[in-house]
Amino acid sequence: MNMLEIRGLEVSIGDTQILRGVDLSVSAGEIHVIMGPNGSGKSTLAKVLVGHPDCEVSSGEVDYAGRSLLEMDAEERALEGVFLAFQNPVEIPGVGNAYLLKAAVNAMRRHRGETELDAFDFLSMVREQLQQVGMSEDMLKRSVNAGFSGGEKKRNELLQLALLKPRLAILDELDSGLDIDGMKAVCTQISSMHTPDRAMLLVTHYPRMLEHLRVDHVHIMSGGRLVQSGGLELVGHLEQGGYETFSA
Amino acid sequence: MSTANKEISDLLNERYAAGFYTPLETDSVPPGLSEDTVRSISARKAEPEWLLKWRLRAYRRWLEMQEPHWAHAKYAPIDYQAASYYSAPKQDKPKSLDEVDPQILETYEKLGIPLRERELLAGVAVDAVFDSVSVATTFKEKLAEVGVIFCSFSDAVQEHPQLVRKYLGTVVPRGDNFYAALNAAVFSDGSFCYIPPDTRCPMELSTYFRINAGNTGQFERTLVVADRGSHVSYLEGCTAPMRDNNQLHAAVVELVALEDAEIKYSTVQNWYPGDAQGRGGIYNFVTKRGDCRGARSRISWTQIETGSAITWKYPSCILRGDHSRGAFYSVAITNNWQQADTGTKMIHLGRHTSSTIISKGISAGHGQNAYRGMVEAGPRASHARNFTQCDSLLMGDQCGAHTFPVIRAGNCTVQVEHEATTSKISDEQLFYCRQRGISTEDAVAMIVNGFCQRVLEELPMEFAVEARKLLGISLEGAIG
Amino acid sequence: MHLADHYEAHFRALSPKWEQGFLEQRRQALQALLRDGLPSRKQEEWRFTDPSPIVNCAFNPVVPGPTRTATAQDAQAYVLMFVDGTPCVTQQSLPEGVILQAWRDSPEALPDSVRGCFDVAGDDGFMLMNTAFLAGGACLYVPPGCKLAAPIHLNYQFTSDASSRAYHLRNILVLGEGAEAEVVEHYHYPGQGTDMTADLCNVVTRVALAPAARLEHCQLTACGRVSALLSLQAEQQADSCYHVHALGAGTTLGRQAFRVRLCGAAAAVELDCLYHLNSDEHLECRMLVEHAVPNTRSLQLFRGMVGGRAHGVFNGRVRIQQGAQDTDARQDSAGLLLSEQARVDICPMLEIYADAVRCSHGATVGHLDEDAVFYMRSRLLSRSEAEALLRRAFALTVLERLPVASRALLHRIGWEVQHDH
């Protein structure tokens, strides 16, 4: 059975219709990539899957692990393992990064019926992951994303991904704002989190990121629809002809 | 209203838990205010002649004064003749805790302040002020062993008249302002505390104020004197029943710190704030001032202001001694129709004096929250320093946040820095937390807690817990 | 003689000389003035500036002579000069539709948008006095779409050394939709040597910006031993942009008040103020910006250098009205104390009645950085050179924001901010 099954999804933000009938199936262990020009609806698809309040669903269904995703509220989706690495993570001044991480991890553990971590256990768990994503420990002491550079914000999203261990990870333009080295590090990290029971949905418009990943499916989005699906060969077409060759 | 605002206001509208009333037989003076009222209060306490004279002079001064209206607050005129100025439980003064009316003990227990010896909070001595009188003071004897005097103001007048006479009114003179003069005329009780030289007070001292009777005001007076090289941490809490009419609380707090002494004064103010329509609630018009009289002395005010219909208070420091230090840490929340006009004055008189002001205002509903502050360094206050950080958090588009700082620098070695910011909890912030599996309620608590953290960490542990609970937030972990 | 009688007598003597159309307004203002009196220090508005030296002085309101013609002095600016209040007009060709004149001359020819600006807000006693004894002033009208290529120089020169004169002046600056202009408004009294201790210079400037208009407005004051009260009131419509650069040298008793109302979306105002005081001078700068509608922007930038026994005051206020969401308001104020007895008061105030706003203020008071002075001295600069450099750096925050043409004009008239004495 597919982990995620999207059928005929139509979504508006404000008065503007953005998604005009999206169909997509994702199975555990797969990496899917959604590519498309700016404004094609990629980020909206990512947002609607995690229940962003701006997204108004006018039609369509989304099944996730046998349940109707659209009927769940945002926290519940998160607790059930749907994770979004935000394109522009919001800054929350005054709230310690470590505190948010601990609250999130413990909310997840409560939900899974596991015992909550105390400060000490949490810290040793975080330390391990910090190294993996290349963050220094004093990033924990700073306020959530406040004053973080673009790269630091992305690493912070990856750290949360690593700690929360979602079943479906949606990564919205995780490569934007990164230099080549940063991007390689991010890709290494993503690969290491790629397990048979986890699906990943990558949103990007930067084909070079895909060279470093084992991608199963590539989808081209245009005008609020997935206009073509295939393998990595689509990226080659894209590099030659641009998005115009795929327009709906 | 955005989803964030809706959820935040739900969260803030949790019922006022201290709003119950304890039916008791009381001894009250009839409503009204005259010289006879002043005399009758003084007589009830068998006060010495000098104190009665002091009260009467204050009363006559008060008659000539105008009620101040410069605060950023709106309210109907107060009828000073309508309230009773003295109300006490009808009981002979209890000699020990065992004699205190069980109903009163129960009241304090319900408020989380056990007064019975076996249940006492370890490490905290409590003076319990119930309407116009102090009903119990715990750990008095234990404190006396190290020479610390901690008792009700009335007892201090009888037992330590020389100390009271020496310091009373020396920080807040009886004619200081309208409400201070009123208090000087009719104050009924309060706490007195004296820390002898080179003594570190072995436990936290606290006063718990409870207004119980209706149609009465509370006018208590607190005097804390820290002698040379001593140290004391003092806490104060306040609650009142829910009522539809407004009640006046006009207190005066005077702190005196001599050479090398340190006083930390903390308040968790949770007077009844009125209902969601703005009916009822306490008018909290309070004068608090500390005098860093000696060199290298230190006074810090920490306040968590969540209650009262109107708050009008400016805990201040007179930095008289060279190298003395003053601090003001404040969280003020106004929700529904609450109004707060609060802040501080740092008056730098001595050389090399320094002060810190951290003020966090949270406005929700129709609440109006004003910070009013003055930092003044005269010509002789060479090398005076001040740092002020003054932040507002707005929740909803019907509330207000205002900042009225005044900086007066009178010599060229003064250095003053003032910063202020305004923010709101955005829908994006809440969504981000929810996407990480954290409920909206917890997310709001987390953000409010983060916003207030710098002030909360100044509170003694015993109070920090209550304060965090009051802010509707959970304890922030040890990490970070 | 009682002061009220003094002013009443003056009014009777002067009124036959005044234009008739405006007489009723003058009379009403005089009556209000006699009823309410002039301000005192007890009023919150005057807490930091004691007006009693002005209040207790029996000034003789000046009635300027008829407009004269003068020869052009500055080919790179449109000039309107006033000598002791008397307009001196030069022959210059203005773009079509632009009006630059003493409004006293042919007031009936002025567009309605200009005539509507004669009413001033506030009933402060000095404002009433200004209305009652109004002596004249400049009027600038720039029609819609017109972009002036050269700056306007409103040049007020005061020469006479007669004493106790009061100049009650009013300027009106109106820009039509999409119009653009640079204005240098300039008040100059001679420096030391002349005794004009008791003069009063009481100026009200009204500014109205239609949608998308842009105005760079430089206000220069060098009023020496004169009492100077300058009040500026501006109203801005949508998308308009207003930038004030107030540069003040010393004044015995000075008070500059700016009051700007942002009435249209995306309107933006920046109020810059720089002054340098010495000896026993006093200057208070007051700013009030009212954000009346959503999505407007303001900045208050204040730099005050105070030496001698002088007293400098900054009182800045931002008011964000209910519903004025997405407001962006900043206050940045700094006082620099240069001598033992100098005094600075700073009050940066915010009144906020909306939640989706970005507001901040920063205020500092301090002295020259001794480490920096030491560093420069170790690099062979003299102490006074080093201090002058630091003062200049302090002033630069404001000076570097002057528009190019105004800066050139300032240079031509020999204006120097006195940062190097």
Side-chain angles (χ1 to χ4, degrees):
Chain A
M1 193 185 66
N2 290 324
M3 176 191 284
L4 182 72
E5 188 76 49
I6 304 175
R7 287 184 300 272
L9 188 61
E10 296 185 18
V11 173
S12 303
I13 292 182
D15 295 332
T16 319
Q17 189 174 358
I18 309 283
L19 298 187
R20 299 168 183 275
V22 171
D23 300 284
L24 179 67
S25 304
V26 178
S27 298
E30 291 179 345
I31 295 185
H32 287 245
V33 173
I34 297 182
M35 305 186 72
N38 284 332
S40 59
K42 306 184 302 287
S43 287
T44 301
L45 178 60
K47 278 157 100 174
V48 73
L49 291 178
V50 293
H52 194 283
D54 287 352
C55 298
E56 190 80 41
V57 177
S58 48
S59 153
E61 286 164 43
V62 180
D63 289 337
Y64 167 73
R67 294 180 61 189
S68 170
L69 189 70
L70 298 177
E71 278 161 27
M72 295 153 73
D73 67 17
E75 295 97 298
E76 199 181 353
R77 298 185 205 197
L79 294 170
E80 289 295 332
V82 183
F83 178 95
L84 171 64
F86 288 82
Q87 184 183 351
N88 296 307
V90 69
E91 301 189 0
I92 314 180
V95 174
N97 203 20
Y99 185 68
L100 175 94
L101 292 173
K102 181 162 162 264
V105 166
N106 278 335
M108 198 64 86
R109 292 180 73 93
R110 264 199 309 277
H111 183 73
R112 290 172 184 160
E114 298 163 7
T115 52
E116 294 184 32
L117 293 179
D118 62 21
F120 189 77
D121 289 344
F122 173 72
L123 193 60
S124 48
M125 176 175 139
V126 172
R127 279 202 180 115
E128 230 168 84
Q129 298 293 346
L130 276 175
Q131 286 201 323
Q132 300 256 337
V133 296
M135 271 168 75
S136 70
E137 201 168 315
D138 50 68
M139 299 265 293
L140 293 176
K141 295 184 184 134
R142 288 160 63 184
S143 292
V144 178
N145 296 323
F148 284 24
S149 70
E152 285 172 334
K153 282 185 179 171
K154 302 292 181 185
R155 285 197 189 93
N156 202 29
E157 294 294 287
L158 279 179
L159 176 67
Q160 296 179 20
L161 174 63
L163 288 170
L164 296 177
K165 302 186 172 57
R167 297 163 71 190
L168 172 63
I170 306 162
L171 313 178
D172 190 3
E173 309 232 351
L174 203 61
D175 48 340
S176 71
L178 292 179
D179 58 20
I180 298 284
D181 290 343
M183 202 179 68
K184 272 186 190 158
V186 164
C187 291
T188 315
Q189 179 68 7
I190 294 174
S191 301
S192 75
M193 286 181 216
H194 182 204
T195 57
D197 55 350
R198 177 173 297 148
M200 291 199 185
L201 192 57
L202 271 58
V203 172
T204 182
H205 57 203
Y206 190 58
R208 294 199 38 199
M209 181 177 181
L210 309 180
E211 294 168 11
H212 306 282
L213 293 172
R214 195 164 46 77
V215 173
D216 300 295
H217 299 276
V218 175
H219 311 273
I220 307 294
M221 190 165 229
S222 176
R225 287 194 188 88
L226 297 181
V227 290
Q228 191 143 6
S229 296
L232 267 175
E233 75 282 356
L234 284 184
V235 178
H237 296 310
L238 199 62
E239 288 198 312
Q240 278 161 22
Y243 286 115
E244 274 161 40
T245 45
F246 295 103
S247 38
Chain B
M1 196 156 37
S2 72
T3 43
N5 287 337
K6 170 81 177 66
E7 281 152 353
I8 291 160
S9 73
D10 288 352
L11 200 69
L12 286 168
N13 277 330
E14 278 181 11
R15 229 177 71 85
Y16 181 69
F20 61 92
Y21 166 68
T22 314
L24 282 174
E25 259 197 282
T26 58
D27 165 28
S28 306
V29 299
L33 181 54
S34 66
E35 282 208 13
D36 287 343
T37 321
V38 177
R39 284 175 197 282
S40 126
I41 291 169
S42 187
R44 268 180 169 74
K45 309 192 147 291
E47 284 176 356
E49 186 63 20
W50 66 266
L51 190 52
L52 173 63
K53 275 193 181 149
W54 193 80
R55 285 175 179 275
L56 287 172
R57 277 205 291 267
Y59 175 68
R60 286 169 202 144
R61 180 84 186 83
W62 178 76
L63 286 176
E64 298 161 5
M65 296 172 98
Q66 297 280 320
E67 194 182 277
H69 284 289
W70 43 259
H72 199 282
K74 290 193 188 108
Y75 52 96
I78 299 170
D79 182 356
Y80 291 93
Q81 296 300 334
S84 164
Y85 285 83
Y86 185 87
S87 175
K90 209 170 205 163
Q91 188 195 17
D92 287 336
K93 186 163 172 56
K95 297 220 166 34
S96 72
L97 279 167
D98 302 334
E99 291 177 24
V100 175
D101 186 333
Q103 270 189 288
I104 294 178
L105 292 179
E106 211 172 286
T107 302
Y108 280 93
E109 241 156 73
K110 262 165 106 172
L111 297 168
I113 317 289
L115 299 174
R116 291 189 179 96
E117 294 282 3
R118 59 189 159 82
E119 296 154 5
L120 284 177
L121 294 169
V124 184
V126 181
D127 182 26
V129 176
F130 195 86
D131 289 329
S132 297
V133 292
S134 163
V135 290
T137 310
T138 63
F139 289 117
K140 241 168 127 169
E141 293 73 23
K142 191 165 179 225
L143 289 166
E145 284 169 23
V146 289
V148 171
I149 303 169
F150 180 49
C151 61
S152 74
F153 208 98
S154 308
D155 288 352
V157 170
Q158 304 299 336
E159 292 161 25
H160 310 280
Q162 69 296 345
L163 276 174
V164 174
R165 202 167 177 179
K166 184 172 174 189
Y167 291 106
L168 174 70
T170 62
V171 187
V172 180
R174 56 173 181 264
D176 186 78
N177 67 67
F178 185 82
Y179 298 111
L182 178 63
N183 174 286
V186 302
F187 78 92
S188 47
D189 214 335
S191 306
F192 175 81
C193 163
Y194 171 80
I195 317 293
D198 303 315
T199 306
R200 199 179 170 88
C201 187
M203 56 179 76
E204 306 273 354
L205 304 185
S206 78
T207 306
Y208 198 91
F209 294 102
R210 173 74 177 169
I211 293 179
N212 186 57
N215 192 31
T216 165
Q218 191 177 52
F219 305 90
E220 84 281 356
R221 216 175 161 99
T222 300
L223 175 56
V224 179
V225 179
D227 214 324
R228 278 179 294 105
S230 68
H231 175 283
V232 63
S233 169
Y234 198 97
L235 329 166
E236 155 191 270
C238 3
T239 57
M242 297 196 264
R243 287 207 176 83
D244 279 349
N245 58 336
N246 299 107
Q247 283 178 282
L248 181 61
H249 172 253
V252 169
V253 176
E254 296 182 276
L255 311 182
V256 179
L258 303 183
E259 263 172 45
D260 297 299
E262 179 174 11
I263 302 175
K264 278 175 76 82
Y265 196 102
S266 313
T267 303
V268 174
Q269 185 266 101
N270 187 27
W271 293 118
Y272 177 52
D275 65 12
Q277 280 70 46
R279 280 183 307 247
I282 301 289
Y283 289 168
N284 190 36
F285 299 161
V286 172
T287 305
K288 291 182 167 179
R289 197 173 302 151
D291 190 350
C292 283
R293 214 163 272 186
R296 295 169 302 279
S297 55
R298 278 180 284 168
I299 288 179
S300 79
W301 298 99
T302 305
Q303 60 174 21
I304 309 296
E305 303 282 318
T306 60
S308 295
I310 304 174
T311 297
W312 180 98
K313 68 182 247 194
Y314 314 91
S316 302
C317 296
I318 300 169
L319 301 166
R320 205 183 298 276
D322 292 348
H323 297 275
S324 60
R325 281 196 267 166
F328 173 74
Y329 304 97
S330 170
V331 169
I333 295 185
T334 52
N335 189 24
N336 294 320
W337 296 89
Q338 279 177 279
Q339 309 176 75
D341 194 299
T342 186
T344 184
K345 274 187 188 181
M346 292 291 171
I347 312 290
H348 294 255
L349 298 175
R351 285 169 301 180
H352 294 279
T353 49
S354 68
S355 59
T356 305
I357 299 171
I358 309 283
S359 164
K360 307 278 180 178
I362 300 167
S363 311
H366 292 84
Q368 296 293 329
N369 207 323
Y371 166 82
R372 191 181 300 278
M374 158 123 76
V375 174
E376 184 169 358
R380 286 171 51 233
S382 61
H383 301 95
R385 293 260 184 291
N386 166 268
F387 175 75
T388 301
Q389 173 82 48
C390 184
D391 299 323
S392 305
L393 188 65
L394 289 132
M395 304 181 179
D397 53 9
Q398 302 293 306
C399 57
H402 320 295
T403 322
F404 306 112
V406 174
I407 301 166
R408 310 202 72 168
N411 77 72
C412 67
T413 55
V414 170
Q415 210 150 0
V416 179
E417 257 180 273
H418 177 108
E419 286 170 18
T421 64
T422 303
S423 54
K424 62 176 280 196
I425 299 180
S426 71
D427 288 349
E428 284 305 317
Q429 289 174 332
L430 285 186
F431 182 70
Y432 187 79
C433 295
R434 292 172 68 202
Q435 214 303 300
R436 298 301 181 250
I438 300 164
S439 71
T440 304
E441 205 172 73
D442 289 347
V444 170
M446 196 163 76
I447 294 168
V448 169
N449 190 347
F451 178 73
C452 302
Q453 182 57 27
R454 182 66 191 85
V455 174
L456 292 173
E457 65 198 24
E458 292 295 325
L459 281 177
M461 274 303 285
E462 290 81 356
F463 259 27
V465 180
E466 190 188 346
R468 287 199 160 93
K469 220 162 54 192
L470 266 179
L471 296 176
I473 53 185
S474 54
L475 189 72
E476 184 161 334
I479 303 167
Chain C
M1 190 170 57
H2 193 263
L3 275 175
D5 298 336
H6 170 84
Y7 284 118
E8 222 170 348
H10 262 292
F11 194 85
R12 268 199 308 276
L14 291 174
S15 49
K17 301 188 195 173
W18 283 325
E19 70 295 339
Q20 293 304 300
F22 194 53
L23 203 55
E24 190 46 38
Q25 269 165 282
R26 288 179 187 271
R27 190 166 284 129
Q28 281 172 13
L30 181 78
Q31 273 156 10
L33 173 64
L34 296 177
R35 188 187 62 228
D36 303 338
L38 289 167
S40 81
R41 199 164 192 173
K42 284 192 182 133
Q43 280 151 280
E44 181 65 25
E45 298 280 287
W46 290 86
R47 184 173 155 203
F48 295 98
T49 298
D50 183 3
S52 59
I54 312 177
V55 172
N56 297 328
C57 184
F59 290 106
N60 301 312
V62 170
V63 181
T67 302
R68 296 196 307 245
T69 48
T71 45
Q73 291 160 326
D74 187 346
Q76 291 161 61
Y78 303 113
V79 184
L80 178 57
M81 186 153 143
F82 293 80
V83 177
D84 294 329
T86 299
C88 302
V89 177
T90 47
Q91 280 299 321
Q92 51 198 349
S93 57
L94 288 155
E96 191 173 342
V98 174
I99 299 171
L100 175 65
Q101 66 174 63
W103 51 259
R104 212 182 52 181
D105 301 334
S106 61
E108 63 290 335
L110 297 173
D112 287 345
S113 56
V114 174
R115 294 165 67 91
C117 283
F118 278 99
D119 294 327
V120 288
D123 46 7
D124 179 299
F126 293 115
M127 210 72 95
L128 293 170
M129 210 182 209
N130 184 282
T131 303
F133 294 103
L134 199 51
C139 159
L140 169 70
Y141 172 73
V142 186
C146 176
K147 296 175 168 52
L148 287 179
I152 307 274
H153 187 191
L154 303 179
N155 187 0
Y156 285 91
Q157 295 291 330
F158 301 90
T159 59
S160 159
D161 55 3
S163 200
S164 294
R165 296 166 311 165
Y167 290 97
H168 299 286
L169 304 168
R170 192 169 299 174
N171 301 306
I172 295 168
L173 313 177
V174 176
L175 269 65
E177 191 161 344
E180 289 182 15
E182 259 181 58
V183 172
V184 175
E185 184 188 347
H186 175 200
Y187 300 89
H188 185 260
Y189 276 81
Q192 265 100 37
T194 31
D195 177 27
M196 298 208 292
T197 313
D199 266 19
L200 169 65
C201 186
N202 184 13
V203 184
V204 176
T205 300
R206 280 292 313 262
V207 175
L209 301 186
R214 302 176 73 89
L215 176 60
E216 293 275 352
H217 185 179
C218 185
Q219 219 178 28
L220 307 178
T221 47
C223 291
R225 312 226 34 95
V226 169
S227 298
L229 305 175
L230 272 72
S231 175
L232 186 145
Q233 301 184 354
E235 244 185 52
Q236 291 183 243
Q237 304 305 323
D239 299 304
S240 62
C241 248
Y242 185 31
H243 195 164
V244 175
H245 313 262
L247 309 179
T251 301
T252 302
L253 202 169
R255 193 170 181 273
Q256 264 182 299
F258 303 89
R259 191 188 177 114
V260 181
R261 214 177 129 78
L262 301 169
C263 312
V269 64
E270 301 193 357
L271 299 172
D272 295 12
C273 179
L274 167 70
Y275 57 68
H276 187 172
L277 305 180
N278 265 303
S279 61
D280 55 355
E281 290 163 346
H282 173 100
L283 186 57
E284 173 168 2
C285 169
R286 297 178 73 87
M287 294 178 183
L288 168 62
V289 175
E290 277 186 87
H291 295 263
V293 297
N295 187 26
T296 54
R297 201 160 54 77
S298 74
L299 167 68
Q300 301 180 354
L301 178 68
F302 169 81
R303 292 289 180 273
M305 287 183 277
V306 185
R309 292 177 308 282
H311 183 196
V313 182
F314 171 69
N315 189 309
R317 196 181 277 259
V318 172
R319 188 176 290 145
I320 299 172
Q321 294 182 358
Q322 201 168 90
Q325 299 289 33
D326 300 312
T327 292
D328 193 330
R330 276 196 300 140
Q331 288 175 312
D332 175 350
S333 51
L336 186 63
L337 290 154
L338 299 173
S339 76
E340 199 62 36
Q341 288 165 298
R343 283 184 297 149
V344 169
D345 297 332
I346 291 187
C347 321
M349 317 216 183
L350 297 171
E351 275 180 76
I352 302 169
Y353 298 92
D355 64 336
V357 297
R358 285 171 302 283
C359 277
S360 67
H361 66 216
T364 58
V365 175
H367 38 87
L368 291 175
D369 182 352
E370 274 304 318
D371 291 342
V373 172
F374 180 78
Y375 178 81
M376 285 191 268
R377 288 174 70 196
S378 74
R379 295 294 176 269
L380 301 179
L381 271 73
S382 72
R383 170 170 274 280
S384 64
E385 279 173 316
E387 288 179 351
L389 276 177
L390 289 177
R391 285 199 297 270
R392 179 159 182 82
F394 181 81
L396 214 55
T397 320
V398 170
L399 293 178
E400 68 188 4
R401 289 158 54 85
L402 281 168
V404 178
S406 299
R407 197 187 302 218
L409 197 156
L410 262 59
H411 189 69
R412 287 198 298 281
I413 62 174
W415 177 275
E416 288 256 5
V417 177
Q418 303 157 342
H419 47 73
D420 40 1
H421 68 116

